Amino acid sequence: MTEYLPGPSREMIPAICIAIASIAFAPLLHVASPVLAIFVETLLSIAIVLTVPACAPAIAIFILFFQNLFVSMLSSLVSSPSELDFIKGYNFLVCSVMWLATVALYLSGRRNDSAELNSIMRWSILALATVGVYFALGAVHNGQAASVYLRNIVLPLFLFQLSLLTAASYELRITPFLVTLSVVLIVCGYIEFAFRDFWLAITNGYTFWGFDEIKGTRSGAWEAEMRLTGNVPVDLKDRFSFDFLNTPLLEDLGLSKMLRIFGPNMSPISFGYGIAFFALFLFSAGYPLPGLAALPLLVLCGVKGPLILLVFVTFAWISTRLLGAVLTLLLTFLALTAYAMLAIRLGLQIGDYHVIGFMGGWHGFLDRPLGRGLGVGGNLSDGYFSIDWTAAQQAGTMDGAVESAIGVLLYQMGLAALVPLGFYLAMGLKAWRLYAGSGMLTQGLAGFGIIVVLFNGIFQEEALFAPPALGLLLALAGLVIGSQIRTRAAAGVEAASGVRPLSGTATQVYG
């Protein structure tokens, strides 16, 4: 049947079917037998890399957004919050196994191994190794928290290496897949906004969020949140009600309360970053109308970080056309620095817990510059729910680091945090250099997007630790950088042999 479809659809439909199959049945397999589920998901992930390697990055992106939708639909089969959390980890398993198989093929010489690619891989492996050392230090104190932070930090690096090595070795046409994925996400967002009860019914949301309620009650998270905000939720929709953009600064505008959109990945922050990314991607790929349709959903998610990402990348695109690439990059850094300084100053004045959490991380870094280990401090630490926020607001700091990815990394890893952070920045600048030479907006999105999200990490843990934020941008950077490496290699072969290769064009990632 697929031979009668246009080329892009013929390539996209199998990728979507494989992506759905790779994660949709994981909850059912887990209920039957966790060992069986792990075994099947591992084999399937290896099979993807061996048989359809060019689909691996697209499949990884798909499961980041839609795994929790399948988990929610089948949550009636789950017996406890801990089991639900375990099932949510299958997306990490699939991505990790695909990454490991891809790296193994690279190390065995079956993937592109140009000098430029080898250099990038060495630095990224150094970043992974550094994180691994601090995981070993932190696991001694709190193994579970250290494991969660390890997963949060290494997954964006896994996505980058997976995309980089795949794009450097194969001609990818991922734009139709990403455009389709973005349209589905936008439709899901509007259905949830306009028909909330219907959305909760078809996704089995009441059961899914019921487990979150049990977990929050047992851990003390609900009590801590009610003490912090003064809000006492009565039903599920009350729990979805938040201050607009999560700040009291806009209360005078009459926008103090709203129902957030959580999306198919069941997280307003992750969904917000995903919508911001896909809105920008749609514009860069020549689909402005669906990109515009995504913008109201950004506001309805009620998250500042994705809006900041959208605004800065858009102005960077415009400024590059008007002022040039180098001046725009300089102005972007200056504007982001001014934004960070102003936000810290205002945050200290109003007692914003993101800023207080960052200051706690900064002072903890000054106290122990070599760090403490992953899981020591942060939202997952043992003392998080006993924080005296009133005292912290009065002091303008706290003992520990929370609600700030940069603060948490400095507190846990000390100076070593500069290794992964420096690598992220280096890859953002590398994507920017490609954009400066080509003017391709998708490359600009990867470059400027990474830089903006790094600054957002001062005020959000999710900016660096939620895969649809930094992870998605690093995956795009891997695609554009890997594509460029493969194109140059193909051009070198053509120049040396005088024969034009069958594959490898400058627009392969976006075709």
Side-chain angles (χ1 to χ4, degrees), residues 268-471:
I269 298 178
S270 293
F271 185 62
Y273 271 107
I275 288 296
F277 172 88
F278 282 114
L280 291 165
F281 181 83
L282 287 168
F283 276 101
S284 71
Y287 298 90
L289 291 182
L292 286 171
L295 299 185
L297 293 176
L298 265 182
V299 178
L300 295 171
C301 288
V303 187
K304 298 184 291 294
L307 283 170
I308 292 168
L309 172 66
L310 179 81
V311 169
F312 271 95
V313 171
T314 301
F315 276 104
W317 280 345
I318 297 171
S319 177
T320 299
R321 292 289 183 92
L322 299 177
L323 304 176
V326 176
L327 183 57
T328 294
L329 181 66
L330 177 61
L331 291 175
T332 299
F333 273 109
L334 290 175
L336 286 170
T337 301
Y339 147 70
M341 294 174 64
L342 178 62
I344 290 173
R345 181 176 179 179
L346 288 176
L348 290 175
Q349 291 176 355
I350 65 175
D352 183 86
Y353 53 90
H354 295 89
V355 173
I356 292 172
F358 168 73
M359 296 306 297
W362 174 250
H363 291 134
F365 163 71
L366 295 178
D367 182 53
R368 293 183 62 175
L370 297 181
R372 298 161 176 80
L374 299 189
V376 182
N379 289 19
L380 300 174
S381 62
D382 293 332
Y384 176 75
F385 298 116
S386 61
I387 294 174
D388 186 343
W389 284 105
T390 301
Q393 289 173 325
Q394 292 175 350
T397 187
M398 58 180 298
D399 183 15
V402 297
E403 303 295 347
S404 164
I406 299 296
V408 167
L409 285 174
L410 289 174
Y411 189 86
Q412 295 183 356
M413 296 182 64
L415 288 170
L418 297 178
V419 177
L421 292 174
F423 179 77
Y424 302 152
L425 179 59
M427 292 305 100
L429 292 175
K430 189 170 185 65
W432 169 81
R433 284 194 293 271
L434 295 178
Y435 170 59
S438 69
M440 297 180 67
L441 295 181
T442 309
Q443 295 172 342
L445 167 58
F448 286 113
I450 290 173
I451 294 169
V452 174
V453 166
L454 286 176
F455 275 85
N456 277 349
I458 298 173
F459 309 106
Q460 279 183 321
E461 268 210 319
E462 294 86 353
L464 304 190
F465 298 156
L470 178 64

